[in-house]
Amino acid sequence: MNVGAFVCGCGGSVDLDLEGVREGVRDVDVVASGANLCTEGLPKVRHVVEEYDLDHLIVTAESDNCKQRYRTVLDDAGLHPEAISFVNHRERGAWVHDETDATDLVARKINAAYAGLREEAPPRSVSREAGDDVVVVGDPEAAEALSDSADVTLLADGRDFADADYDLRDVTLARGRVTDVDGVYGEFEIQVQAGVTEDCIDCMECVKQGPDEYVTSKPVDVLPGAPDGDWVDCCPTDAIHPEERTIEADQVVYPDASRATRGGRMGFYTGPVDAATVAAVQDLIGGIEKPQFLDVEMDVCAAGGSSQQGCTACSDACPHGAVSRPTIDSVEFDEVACEGCGACTSACPTGAVRAREPSNERIAREVESMLVETDDSGLLSSSEEGIETGVVAFVCDERAARALDDFGRRARQRDGIEYPPLLPVEVPCADTVGEAHVLHALAAGADGVAIVGCGGDCLHSGPDPKAELVTRMNQATEDLGLGKRTAFFAPEPGEPEAFVEDVSRFVELGLDPSPVPAGHEADGVADPTTANPEFNTHDWALESVRAIVPHTDPRDVVRGLESFGRVEVNEDCTFTPTCSNLCPTDALRREEAGLEFDHERCVNCGLCEEGCMEDAIRVDGGLELGLLPENNDGDAWTTVADGEMRECRRCGKPFTSEASAQKISDEVGDVVAGIAPDADGDVFEYCSDCRAKLVYDR
């Protein structure tokens, strides 16, 4: 693939050294620049595209008009309309940083765009058919607004619409109050309880005779708490009885409901209904086709086994109800309901679920390109001529990105809005970022890591969604000998001052130069003998730790890392194979009379602890460096429990542990006493083969 980079000076409105940017860009086939590339310079851009036979363009442009002009170049050259990547060099570049920093930053951003482009995943889609059945709970205005495009049922939920001034002629009225809503988009089930059965013929006799405050007329229903009396017998169809029923719907509009999930569910709408809500409902009528956000590989999932619960990271993390546990030891992913926030992928330790775009490998390459030192010019190093403090910023491409753009436009209008340059890597949501991403950035030489997410309530996970991660990572980096190097920022549009102050304090006062040099290139593999896919959280994080510790003075145990487990086994262990059979990563094995543990493989799923019949196992989070093979004479296995093997009294073959045999004998020895009268001693002193001969060959 031939790639060209084009750097525009925006008519002199950006303080960039265009020649310096060109010198700092690497790997692409050609770099061109000009004061007004998007206008009078377009013929030159077309010429360069033709001369170098370019397949993809990386362009510094932020204005929609400018982007559209560059797209005409693609069209003229017969290129795909998506064969272009845009780099923000103004609002998040030259308008908020001085010329030297902005020049360095823009070159790095172009290099990162190229590195990411090489790892871009081919597009895939998922789809689901759905009907036009919409249940609106208690909101006649919303029901009226949707009635022209959907088959709407207005569920009263205890309300009386007799005086409602809305056109509900095309709306089905349903009596009853909601008790539960279950299901997913296209397959919702609303559980309803009413005081009048469906035998009601709307004769209004109960409305006429019953107590006003307990009987509604449109639709006819009797509310809970209605007093008994002769009026109850007035119904000609004997319909005044409590009834529970289920209403099926493709979508549900329920303004008074809680979201049930932190980020809301597809096709389930809560809160005030506005034009955007109506438009969202209409967009989903008939079904949906959307990008496939996830790659799922259940063979390496650590969710559980044999009816024992293991890892719950993905289902706990998902804010949209797209991950469920149909059984205690399994998980399912609803890829249509998935909103692509990345919460499950950053939480999954084994790589059973991974983000397709951007993939972890793409993110890694962009980070590494931001930090790599290539020459002595200073443009891509930590010298005085470029960015002094390299802070990798994982930036949410929704609200956070819009807020930063707002700050840049404000800076263009007036002086005083300037903050230290951050090395940005855009992600769909701050939830995409997990411990492996932070550790990798530090292993690649970053002085610090900023997670820049939504201000206020995150669209996915609520307020300050990464606060817990920041706390854990700062504990981990302190144990690694790096000190605290991670922070979360939530820029609010229109309020740049707080962001400028917080970022400046973090970068300029809170960070010393990292002792870890730039240049690390991740493979995403810690143990090549395992089946886990590359760049899974556990392996990627461990690889990064191994790149960091040669340059620091770490503690023995690195706390704060959730994808690593440390196993302790007490004296109650009877050495049954339950734990080793259950372990999804083969981190436990029984060798003769001992139980051995491979810390390098353990992902802290807790399945061994959950399944241990003797409650002898405890799993604690954290990475114990001394248990890794490079610090254990090359041996990945450590004995965590010792015990003697019992040898068969008859054939001499070791067949079980002394502890296990003794426990069985204590529990059922009296029951089977005398079952083998020819045995010398306890029947449990014989292996299964010899025991059978003693019992049956008499």
Side-chain angles (χ1 to χ4, degrees):
M1 179 171 61
N2 298 330
V3 179
F6 298 87
V7 186
C8 183
C10 289
S13 67
V14 292
D15 292 330
L16 283 178
D17 177 355
L18 298 183
E19 182 179 355
V21 175
R22 292 199 308 273
E23 292 176 351
V25 174
R26 62 183 189 277
D27 296 334
V28 299
D29 295 278
V30 61
V31 186
S33 64
N36 290 295
L37 280 185
C38 67
T39 54
E40 61 193 41
L42 277 182
K44 297 180 181 179
V45 174
R46 291 187 175 92
H47 175 74
V48 172
V49 171
E50 181 179 355
E51 180 180 357
Y52 286 87
D53 194 20
L54 298 182
D55 303 300
H56 194 97
L57 280 60
I58 300 175
V59 179
T60 61
E62 182 58 22
S63 163
D64 289 338
N65 289 336
C66 293
K67 292 179 179 180
Q68 185 55 41
R69 294 190 190 104
Y70 284 114
R71 293 190 190 279
T72 64
V73 175
L74 299 180
D75 187 52
D76 293 343
L79 297 176
H80 191 280
E82 298 300 320
I84 189 167
S85 303
F86 295 106
V87 169
N88 187 317
H89 65 313
R90 298 188 325 192
E91 287 85 345
R92 286 178 260 169
W95 286 357
V96 289
H97 307 309
D98 63 35
E99 180 180 318
T100 301
D101 285 347
T103 299
D104 188 2
L105 178 60
V106 171
R108 297 190 193 215
K109 291 171 78 170
I110 293 173
N111 291 331
Y114 178 72
L117 181 64
R118 289 182 295 177
E119 303 297 337
E120 187 173 20
R124 294 179 187 167
S125 63
V126 293
S127 62
R128 176 177 296 160
E129 294 183 356
D132 61 353
D133 293 328
V134 178
V135 168
V136 178
V137 181
D139 189 337
E141 183 177 5
E144 179 188 39
L146 289 166
S147 61
D148 288 339
S149 53
D151 187 354
V152 178
T153 296
L154 176 59
L155 181 60
D157 204 33
R159 295 172 175 83
D160 194 334
F161 299 128
D163 298 324
D165 189 19
Y166 300 100
D167 184 359
L168 302 178
R169 288 174 296 178
D170 294 328
V171 174
T172 300
L173 287 181
R175 63 178 60 85
R177 296 158 302 284
V178 177
T179 59
D180 189 31
V181 180
D182 195 16
V184 297
Y185 163 65
E187 301 173 353
F188 284 109
E189 292 186 345
I190 303 98
Q191 305 300 321
V192 176
Q193 187 175 62
V196 173
T197 72
E198 290 299 277
D199 292 330
C200 174
I201 59 174
D202 293 331
C203 70
M204 305 285 285
E205 192 64 29
C206 63
V207 177
K208 178 180 179 181
Q209 295 191 32
D212 292 342
E213 63 271 27
Y214 288 103
V215 183
T216 62
S217 62
K218 187 178 181 180
V220 174
D221 198 7
V222 176
L223 305 182
D228 291 331
D230 294 340
W231 69 274
V232 175
D233 299 324
C234 71
C235 180
T237 60
D238 193 27
I240 303 178
H241 297 289
E243 178 183 68
E244 295 183 355
R245 67 184 191 280
T246 300
I247 301 177
E248 296 179 348
D250 297 293
Q251 300 186 72
V252 179
V253 180
Y254 192 177
D256 293 340
S258 61
R259 292 194 299 186
T261 57
R262 298 188 303 280
R265 287 180 286 173
M266 175 178 288
F268 185 80
Y269 309 89
T270 63
V273 177
D274 54 19
T277 308
V278 173
V281 174
Q282 292 171 336
D283 283 345
L284 293 181
I285 290 174
I288 186 174
E289 182 174 359
K290 58 187 291 187
Q292 180 181 352
F293 296 119
L294 305 175
D295 279 330
V296 179
E297 193 168 335
M298 297 308 297
D299 288 346
V300 299
C301 180
S306 301
S307 300
Q308 301 293 329
Q309 179 175 286
C311 176
T312 62
C314 60
S315 53
D316 291 343
C318 178
H320 295 291
V323 185
S324 61
R325 299 189 71 97
T327 62
I328 194 173
D329 58 357
S330 66
V331 296
E332 286 185 356
F333 293 87
D334 184 344
E335 295 199 54
V336 172
C338 173
E339 296 291 338
C341 68
C344 63
T345 63
S346 62
C348 175
T350 65
V353 58
R354 306 180 306 283
R356 284 186 48 76
E357 185 60 32
S359 65
N360 281 345
E361 186 168 4
R362 177 172 185 162
I363 292 172
R365 300 301 173 240
E366 291 186 12
V367 168
E368 291 158 6
S369 293
M370 287 284 188
L371 295 165
V372 71
E373 300 179 15
T374 60
D375 53 39
D376 298 326
S377 68
L379 281 171
L380 295 173
S381 69
S382 299
S383 74
E384 296 179 357
E385 297 300 322
I387 296 172
E388 294 184 5
T389 304
V391 176
V392 170
F394 296 105
V395 181
C396 157
D397 67 8
E398 298 186 59
R399 290 182 183 174
R402 293 196 297 270
L404 296 182
D405 288 344
D406 172 73
F407 297 166
R409 288 188 292 271
R410 290 172 181 270
R412 176 64 177 157
Q413 298 172 43
R414 59 184 175 88
D415 294 331
I417 302 177
E418 185 174 340
Y419 53 88
L422 305 174
L423 306 178
V425 175
E426 287 200 359
V427 292
C429 172
D431 276 347
T432 303
V433 183
E435 60 187 45
H437 300 82
V438 175
L439 288 172
H440 168 258
L442 297 172
D447 297 312
V449 176
I451 303 172
V452 186
C454 297
D457 280 347
C458 173
L459 294 174
H460 301 283
S461 292
D464 297 344
K466 305 314 289 186
E468 182 266 343
L469 174 66
V470 168
T471 299
R472 288 197 295 107
M473 294 316 300
N474 280 329
Q475 183 178 59
T477 53
E478 283 195 303
D479 289 346
L480 283 168
L482 289 172
K484 295 180 178 179
R485 292 186 179 265
T486 308
F488 175 72
F489 302 98
E492 288 281 4
E495 302 178 13
E497 292 80 9
F499 177 77
V500 170
E501 181 180 351
D502 291 344
V503 169
S504 299
R505 185 187 305 114
F506 173 65
V507 176
E508 296 172 351
L509 301 179
L511 296 175
D512 295 325
S514 173
V516 182
H520 170 67
E521 185 172 333
D523 294 322
V525 176
D527 181 355
T529 66
T530 66
N532 293 351
E534 297 175 355
F535 289 93
N536 66 80
T537 293
H538 172 86
D539 282 16
W540 191 21
L542 180 53
E543 179 190 33
S544 298
V545 168
R546 284 171 164 157
I548 291 171
V549 293
H551 308 284
T552 64
D553 183 20
R555 296 176 179 172
D556 293 337
V557 176
V558 182
R559 298 164 296 172
L561 302 182
E562 290 187 341
S563 63
F564 299 89
R566 294 172 293 140
V567 167
E568 291 186 10
V569 182
N570 64 35
E571 61 185 12
D572 292 333
C573 177
T574 59
F575 302 95
T576 61
T578 305
C579 57
S580 55
N581 288 341
L582 283 174
C583 180
T585 60
D586 296 326
L588 288 167
R589 71 181 184 187
R590 207 173 59 156
E591 289 290 309
E592 295 184 354
L595 183 65
E596 295 186 343
F597 171 62
D598 186 344
H599 186 39
E600 187 179 33
R601 293 183 175 185
C602 180
V603 297
N604 195 27
C605 71
L607 188 53
C608 59
E609 181 176 350
E610 182 73 20
C612 179
M613 295 181 292
E614 290 82 24
D615 293 328
I617 296 179
R618 190 181 80 183
V619 182
D620 295 317
L623 176 62
E624 188 168 345
L625 298 176
L627 296 181
L628 297 176
E630 61 266 31
N631 302 318
N632 193 36
D633 296 326
D635 191 355
W637 294 96
T638 304
T639 300
V640 289
D642 286 315
E644 297 181 13
M645 290 293 289
R646 175 170 291 190
E647 295 181 355
C648 177
R649 177 186 283 267
R650 185 173 185 176
C651 70
K653 179 179 70 175
F655 66 96
T656 191
S657 68
E658 282 287 348
S660 182
Q662 188 59 52
K663 180 178 181 180
I664 296 173
S665 180
D666 291 343
E667 291 180 352
V668 300
D670 292 342
V671 177
V672 299
I675 195 172
D678 295 335
D680 295 330
D682 194 329
V683 70
F684 297 109
E685 295 180 18
Y686 297 84
C687 69
S688 58
D689 292 338
C690 294
R691 191 182 312 133
K693 292 177 181 178
L694 286 169
V695 172
Y696 298 111
D697 297 346
R698 295 189 236 173

